[in-house]
């Protein structure tokens, strides 16, 4: 089997892999910020609730969460899980899982800000939301970018976990081609794909870091 | 104030995801969803054009053509096959699915392939009978029928006890590489898969199948326990496909002619299967069971 043939068969899976990647980022980055707020509120009930959420999401394997989200609705509520549910369950579990990791990254950034900045802002008449979005958050983003890059790179590789619920992402298809053609060639292609994908992620994030590297 | 806003947003997200779930009870237009392992040639695999094909899938297509159904080929993760079938995301498991030993767990169609579990070895390894395997390492696919045979006291457990060890692996590709590299001395697998591998591997002529088989078993289509209606329809269609020669033509195409058994020993099979003529009372009882099952499910 020729390389172009393998590539063309894998291309559909690559599109799906990239789809999981971007949708997960789009949902989990804002969600993570909300969770980090929840994690930092003073109300002990709410705070512990979010702590529990983070603890469960980080403490159980994503592969297991995928299966719970995909099969759960049927076993718990006897709901029909046909149609698009497979894909929705994947995006849901990836987003909720990654939001937990991002929440802790945001928290590390937010809590590293000196109290003096809040006090100065208050003195200058900034409201609490103004203080956060105009003064604190831009600095937080700068500080946490390297950790976020780490997480994003992990996400690229984690997309292959979608095979647990038989979603035809790139690596699942690579395994199928490998089985029918009795060759390991598709895995080489898969490795190159992941590497190039992550190289792009790393380069883009580095550019972003440089761009945000003002006030120095 | 801020907290309340955050709470509201989070609640909104939860609600949105819940309604999202409910919206997926879509009405299907006579589709027939076949679940299969896409890493299981020649029964189900990815063809050169990227479409899924294989003996079982083409047969399923022929049944759908007869009924006017639309065939949906859903590749599944073999380890989750029961959950997929239970939850209704697939209508049946049709993929070289071994019936022997699992009779009670599914509603089965008529068996259509006579399969055996065999041992594949390297030609120059000096292994020519099952007894030569004593002290050797044998590879077997995880959760496979071959593994079941080797662990069953009534079948080949005694033989398996003579091995140096059983090495479980995930797919046949790596198993063959391990065999070639000497990590395992033999592989236990289905005869159909063994033939496909030997035929298609670059160094296929290095391997041979032992003449002595581990056991003989049958492939059938597995439906969710109690789904006799769909099963009967498919059974009737299989008979039609056998009568008009389509079945044999497909068997020939995939070089399974000496293995297919649909219709060969029909009278014999009828005793174990719910053939309409003699087992009517049995079928009625089964339907009743199915009904009570549905009821309890509804509760």
């Amino acid at each position: 089997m020729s390389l172009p043939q393998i590539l063309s068969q894998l291309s559909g899976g690559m599109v799906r892999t990239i789809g999981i990647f971007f949708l997960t980022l789009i949902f989990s980055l804002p969600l993570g910020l909300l969770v980090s707020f929840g994690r930092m509120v003073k109300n002990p009930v709410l705070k512990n609730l979010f702590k529990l959420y983070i603890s469960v999401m980080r403490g159980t394997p994503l592969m297991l969460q995928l299966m719970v989200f995909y099969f759960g609705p049927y076993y718990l509520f006897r709901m029909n899980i046909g149609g698009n549910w497979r894909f929705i369950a994947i995006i849901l579990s990836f987003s909720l899982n990654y939001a937990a990791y991002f929440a802790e990254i945001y928290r590390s950034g937010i809590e590293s800000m000196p109290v003096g900045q809040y006090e100065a802002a208050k003195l200058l008449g900034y409201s609490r939301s103004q203080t956060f979005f105009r003064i604190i958050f831009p600095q937080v983003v700068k500080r946490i970018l390297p950790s976020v890059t780490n997480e994003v790179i992990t996400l690229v590789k984690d997309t292959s976990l979608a095979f647990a619920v038989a979603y035809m992402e790139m690596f699942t298809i690579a395994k199928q081609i490998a089985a029918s053609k009795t060759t390991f060639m598709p895995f080489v292609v898969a490795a190159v794909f992941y590497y190039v994908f992550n190289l792009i992620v790393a380069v883009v994030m580095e550019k972003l870091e440089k761009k945000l590297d003002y006030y120095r | 104030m801020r907290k309340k806003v955050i709470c509201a947003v989070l609640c909104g997200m939860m609600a949105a995801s819940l309604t999202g779930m409910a919206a997926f009870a879509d009405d299907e237009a006579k589709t027939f969803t076949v679940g299969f392992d896409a890493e299981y040639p020649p029964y189900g695999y990815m063809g050169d054009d990227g479409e899924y094909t294989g003996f079982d899938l083409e047969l399923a297509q022929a049944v759908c053509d007869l009924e006017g159904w639309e065939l949906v080929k859903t590749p599944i993760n073999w380890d989750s096959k029961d959950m997929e079938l239970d939850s209704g995301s697939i209508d049946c498991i049709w993929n070289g699915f071994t019936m022997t030993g699992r009779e009670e767990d599914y509603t089965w169609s008529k068996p259509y392939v006579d399969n055996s579990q065999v041992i594949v070895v390297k030609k120059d390894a000096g292994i020519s009978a099952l007894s030569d395997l004593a002290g050797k390492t044998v590879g077997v696919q995880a959760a496979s029928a071959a593994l079941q045979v080797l662990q069953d006291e009534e079948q080949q457990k005694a033989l398996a006890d003579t091995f140096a060890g059983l090495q479980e692996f995930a797919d046949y590709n790596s198993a063959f590489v391990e065999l070639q590299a000497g990590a395992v001395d033999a592989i236990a697998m289905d005869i159909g898969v063994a033939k496909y591998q030997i035929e298609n591997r670059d160094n296929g002529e290095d391997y041979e199948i032992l003449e002595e088989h581990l056991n003989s078993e049958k492939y059938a289509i597995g439906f969710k326990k109690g789904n006799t209606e769909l099963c009967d329809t498919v059974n009737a269609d299989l008979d039609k496909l056998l009568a008009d020669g389509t079945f044999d033509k497909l068997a020939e195409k995939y070089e399974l002619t000496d293995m297919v058994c649909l219709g060969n020993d029909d009278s014999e099979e009828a005793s174990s299967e719910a053939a309409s003529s003699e087992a009517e009372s049995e079928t009625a009882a089964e339907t009743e069971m199915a009904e009570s099952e549905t009821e309890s499910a509804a509760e």
Side-chain angles (χ1 to χ4, degrees):
Chain A
M1 194 181 192
S2 63
L3 193 63
Q5 223 176 343
I6 294 179
L7 276 175
S8 79
Q9 285 190 17
L10 282 178
S11 60
M14 289 177 185
V15 171
R16 284 183 212 113
T17 295
I18 293 170
I20 298 178
F21 174 78
F22 280 109
L23 284 174
T24 303
L25 280 190
I26 287 170
F27 291 120
S28 64
L29 280 172
L31 192 64
L33 190 58
L34 292 178
V35 174
S36 77
F37 290 154
R39 170 75 178 73
M40 290 184 292
V41 292
K42 292 216 179 65
N43 181 334
V45 178
L46 208 58
K47 181 178 173 172
N48 282 317
L49 206 67
F50 279 98
K51 267 176 101 167
L52 180 72
Y53 170 82
I54 291 172
S55 163
V56 170
M57 281 301 174
R58 294 199 308 184
T60 55
L62 180 51
M63 194 192 283
L64 210 61
Q65 290 167 19
L66 279 164
M67 292 172 80
V68 167
F69 275 102
Y70 179 56
F71 293 112
Y74 170 75
Y75 284 104
L76 296 176
F77 314 111
R78 298 277 143 188
M79 269 194 276
N80 183 341
I81 59 170
N84 276 330
W85 179 244
R86 202 182 292 272
F87 182 63
I88 292 178
I90 288 169
I91 298 302
L92 207 60
S93 33
F94 267 91
S95 301
L96 292 178
N97 179 281
Y98 269 82
Y101 287 96
F102 284 137
E104 288 296 271
I105 294 177
Y106 283 124
R107 188 169 68 91
S108 73
I110 293 169
E111 290 187 342
S112 73
M113 287 297 143
V115 195
Q117 291 202 10
Y118 290 93
E119 291 167 350
K122 198 171 181 186
L123 215 63
L124 291 169
Y126 280 84
S127 73
R128 279 189 60 180
S129 69
Q130 279 174 330
T131 310
F132 183 77
F133 286 107
R134 301 221 177 134
I135 300 171
I136 304 295
F137 193 61
Q139 301 179 77
V140 167
V141 171
K142 281 164 63 174
R143 281 196 189 177
I144 63 173
L145 262 185
S147 326
V148 170
T149 307
N150 253 350
E151 232 20 75
V152 172
I153 284 176
T154 310
L155 171 61
V156 171
K157 293 174 285 183
D158 271 0
T159 53
S160 62
L161 287 176
F163 90 91
V165 292
Y167 185 66
M168 294 301 112
E169 48 75 46
M170 199 266 300
F171 196 63
T172 312
I173 296 183
K175 285 201 293 183
Q176 291 171 359
I177 301 173
S180 74
K181 297 289 171 278
T182 61
T183 154
F184 279 108
M185 197 57 200
F187 295 133
V188 178
V189 178
V192 172
F193 170 80
Y194 285 123
Y195 182 72
V196 170
F197 197 163
N198 274 326
L199 201 63
I200 295 171
V201 168
V203 166
V204 168
M205 294 303 269
E206 205 185 320
K207 278 239 165 77
L208 200 62
E209 257 178 69
K210 283 225 175 83
K211 208 178 156 195
L212 293 175
D213 195 18
Y214 40 77
Y215 300 141
R216 284 268 157 125
Chain B
M1 190 50 199
R2 172 147 312 278
K3 282 177 216 158
K4 279 189 188 143
V5 174
I6 295 167
C7 277
V9 172
L10 289 181
C11 290
M13 278 185 164
M14 264 177 172
S17 57
L18 280 177
T19 43
M21 281 182 200
F24 281 94
D26 55 354
D27 45 347
E28 47 223 68
K30 279 281 177 193
T31 55
F32 182 61
T33 310
V34 171
F36 66 101
D37 175 2
E39 295 172 41
Y40 206 65
Y43 299 102
Y45 60 99
M46 187 183 265
D48 287 339
D49 55 356
E51 289 290 314
Y52 295 114
T53 184
F55 176 68
D56 283 6
L57 289 176
E58 285 207 39
L59 199 56
Q61 183 61 59
V63 166
C64 286
D65 289 345
L66 279 180
E67 294 291 333
W69 293 334
E70 190 197 331
L71 176 66
V72 182
K73 303 169 184 172
T74 303
I76 57 170
N77 183 352
W78 196 244
D79 297 335
S80 321
K81 57 183 180 301
D82 293 329
M83 285 192 271
E84 297 272 5
L85 189 64
D86 255 3
S87 62
S89 62
I90 56 174
D91 289 323
C92 65
I93 300 169
W94 191 338
N95 189 200
F97 193 22
T98 303
M99 178 179 151
T100 316
R102 296 180 174 128
E103 285 89 347
E104 300 305 316
D105 303 332
Y106 306 87
T107 292
W108 291 99
S109 75
K110 291 179 187 175
Y112 60 96
V113 165
D114 220 336
N115 182 54
S116 301
Q117 298 297 335
V118 297
I119 296 280
V120 176
V121 295
K122 271 204 280 195
K123 267 185 188 154
D124 53 14
I127 299 171
S128 54
L130 291 180
S131 53
D132 293 341
L133 288 169
K136 305 280 187 196
T137 305
V138 178
V140 61
Q141 189 182 25
S144 71
L147 179 62
Q148 231 165 12
V149 169
L150 290 172
Q151 288 177 335
D152 189 342
E153 302 263 347
E154 288 170 17
Q155 297 193 54
Q156 298 284 6
K157 176 96 167 42
L159 174 72
D161 286 342
T162 68
F163 300 163
L166 267 183
Q167 174 75 45
E168 290 187 34
F169 57 83
D171 61 272
Y172 290 104
N173 225 359
S174 16
F176 269 90
V177 174
E178 285 197 37
L179 180 60
Q180 193 181 4
V184 297
D185 302 300
I187 313 174
M189 67 176 96
D190 293 7
I191 189 165
V193 181
K195 282 183 175 166
Y196 182 91
Q197 293 286 346
I198 288 174
E199 189 101 341
N200 285 281
R201 300 199 79 83
D202 294 336
N203 54 352
E205 65 281 358
D206 294 353
Y207 307 110
E208 65 181 353
I209 300 172
L210 290 191
E211 266 173 48
E212 237 180 305
H213 293 179
L214 287 174
N215 81 332
S216 150
E217 57 181 30
K218 289 186 164 54
Y219 281 169
I221 309 153
F223 297 87
K224 188 173 176 175
K225 186 101 180 149
N227 194 358
T228 41
E229 193 187 333
L230 188 60
C231 179
D232 289 346
T233 313
V234 172
N235 266 340
D237 289 339
L238 284 179
D239 283 342
K240 279 184 217 159
L241 291 171
L242 182 67
D244 73 6
T246 315
F247 184 81
D248 288 330
K249 224 180 282 171
L250 281 178
E252 206 172 311
K253 179 172 168 188
Y254 288 96
E255 295 171 12
L256 298 170
T257 305
D258 47 351
M259 288 168 59
V260 292
C261 67
L262 185 65
N264 280 1
D265 37 9
D266 226 4
S267 52
E268 201 183 314
E269 286 311 318
S271 57
S272 67
E273 277 302 303
S276 48
S277 56
E278 54 176 10
E280 229 155 35
S281 59
E282 213 177 296
T283 322
E286 249 173 75
T287 324
E288 226 166 84
M289 253 174 61
E291 267 167 14
S292 64
E293 248 179 42
T294 335
E295 266 169 33
S296 59
E299 280 164 18

